[in-house]
Amino acid sequence: MEWVERLNQSMAYIEEHLTGEIDYEQLGRIACCSTYHYQRMFTYMAGITLAEYIRRRKLSLAAVDLRGGGARIIDIAEKYGYRSPTAFNRAFQSFHGIAPSAAKDEGVPVNSFSTIVFRIAVKGATEMKYRIETKEAFRIIGVSAPLDKELENNFMVVPTMWQEAAANGTIQKLAGMMDTPPMGLLGVSVCNDEEAWRYFIAVSSTKTSNEWEEYTVPASTWAIFSGAGTNQSIQELEQRVVTEWLPTSGYEYANAPDIEVYLNPDPQNAQYEVWIPVIKKTE
């Protein structure tokens, strides 16, 4: 239950800072995880991204302020962090379906978006196969791209990387370089609070080549989940790990990369593993 309580404490922090700066790193500290893992956890639990949740809360409160009648639109825009009335008008109209000026009129409907409260919910009894393994550091080689620290800005980065890697022969070349476990094509999210965020398409290898970037995955304990299906199903498995397994597992996120291990190359009949870095919860 501590895990859910921390998430709710982070919701209280957001509410207290909706008219100021919301520090994503502080949200991670409240939840005892990295900024990256916090955003992933939030998205899977809430069904929307953290950035979108904050936008909706601000615009919901902005409508309440406008209903008061006396506030100027430019002041409300500034209060909720919009740099110009034009940007505020565009966001307000997208959320409420009306212009901010219309929200002042009596009888005009606006949307309300309430604060999220997290609870543990019991879902369908479907097994998830997993194992816990502690591994020494291992070296990966491959290609990478920078990631933005606001996760929703990366939604097109990773799929585009995989498409390009398949089209230009990168995947086939990397497969020939693989020589150490984990034996599969790897998608590695290096997203901690100490270095720039990057996503790697890579393999575990001891071979050297000037063609590839290198990264050393740190020694960690991993919760490893097996799955099969399409590439979409791996996202569904990751969501189940966060929403069903993690809250009651006795573990929490560790400060190490997330890894997807693709054990065969067929995207429509994939065999894969999801590696989540974990540490035992302290009493």
Side-chain angles (χ1 to χ4, degrees), residues 24-223:
Y24 281 21
E25 290 189 10
Q26 178 61 18
L27 289 171
R29 285 191 286 270
I30 292 170
C32 297
C33 62
S34 70
T35 306
Y36 169 76
H37 285 132
Y38 178 87
Q39 290 185 72
R40 287 192 74 209
M41 195 161 51
F42 182 92
T43 299
Y44 285 142
M45 294 285 288
I48 60 172
T49 65
L50 176 61
E52 179 61 21
Y53 171 75
I54 293 170
R55 274 196 291 270
R56 293 185 189 184
R57 284 296 297 140
K58 287 185 174 185
L59 292 167
S60 183
L61 294 178
V64 173
D65 290 352
L66 288 169
R67 281 289 167 88
R72 297 189 307 163
I73 292 173
I74 191 172
D75 293 333
I76 299 298
E78 184 177 354
K79 177 180 179 180
Y80 291 104
Y82 287 87
R83 296 180 179 178
S84 72
T86 300
F88 176 67
N89 183 78
R90 187 183 305 115
F92 193 94
Q93 190 147 353
S94 175
F95 180 66
H96 292 286
I98 57 172
S101 56
K104 294 187 174 186
D105 297 337
E106 185 176 349
V108 175
V110 293
N111 293 322
S112 175
F113 192 80
S114 300
T115 306
I116 286 176
V117 177
F118 291 102
R119 297 184 179 90
I120 292 178
V122 178
K123 299 185 178 181
T126 305
E127 299 89 353
M128 279 189 291
K129 292 184 178 180
Y130 76 95
R131 64 189 188 273
I132 303 293
E133 291 191 9
T134 299
K135 291 188 173 293
E136 296 297 322
F138 60 92
R139 173 179 173 271
I140 63 171
I141 59 172
V143 294
S144 77
L147 295 177
D148 192 276
K149 291 208 170 184
E150 192 166 292
L151 280 193
E152 71 174 14
N153 294 336
N154 300 316
F155 286 163
M156 293 306 298
V157 173
V158 173
T160 299
M161 277 188 70
W162 281 100
Q163 291 167 8
E164 291 177 352
N168 64 22
T170 294
I171 288 176
Q172 291 84 349
K173 290 179 183 178
L174 282 174
M177 301 290 286
M178 181 194 323
D179 65 1
T180 56
M183 297 298 287
L185 196 64
L186 310 178
V188 182
S189 299
V190 180
C191 302
N192 57 57
D193 293 338
E194 287 77 46
E195 58 187 322
W197 289 11
R198 299 194 72 80
Y199 181 84
F200 283 83
I201 297 175
V203 294
S204 180
S205 179
T206 59
K207 299 177 182 178
T208 58
S209 170
N210 294 331
E211 186 175 0
W212 310 112
E213 300 174 60
E214 298 182 12
Y215 180 78
T216 299
V217 177
S220 301
T221 297
W222 308 89

Side-chain angles (χ1 to χ4, degrees), residues 3 7 36-37 39-49 118 121 123-124 126-128 225-226 231-248 253 258 260 272-276:
W3 188 82
L7 281 176
Y36 169 76
H37 285 132
Q39 290 185 72
R40 287 192 74 209
M41 195 161 51
F42 182 92
T43 299
Y44 285 142
M45 294 285 288
I48 60 172
T49 65
F118 291 102
K123 299 185 178 181
T126 305
E127 299 89 353
M128 279 189 291
F225 297 80
S226 301
N231 284 345
Q232 181 64 32
S233 64
I234 197 169
Q235 306 301 322
E236 295 168 356
L237 176 58
E238 289 171 348
Q239 181 174 15
R240 290 190 62 209
V241 170
V242 170
T243 60
E244 299 177 29
W245 181 80
L246 191 60
T248 57
Y253 275 119
D258 284 3
E260 297 171 351
Y272 52 78
E273 293 178 340
V274 172
W275 290 34
I276 304 295

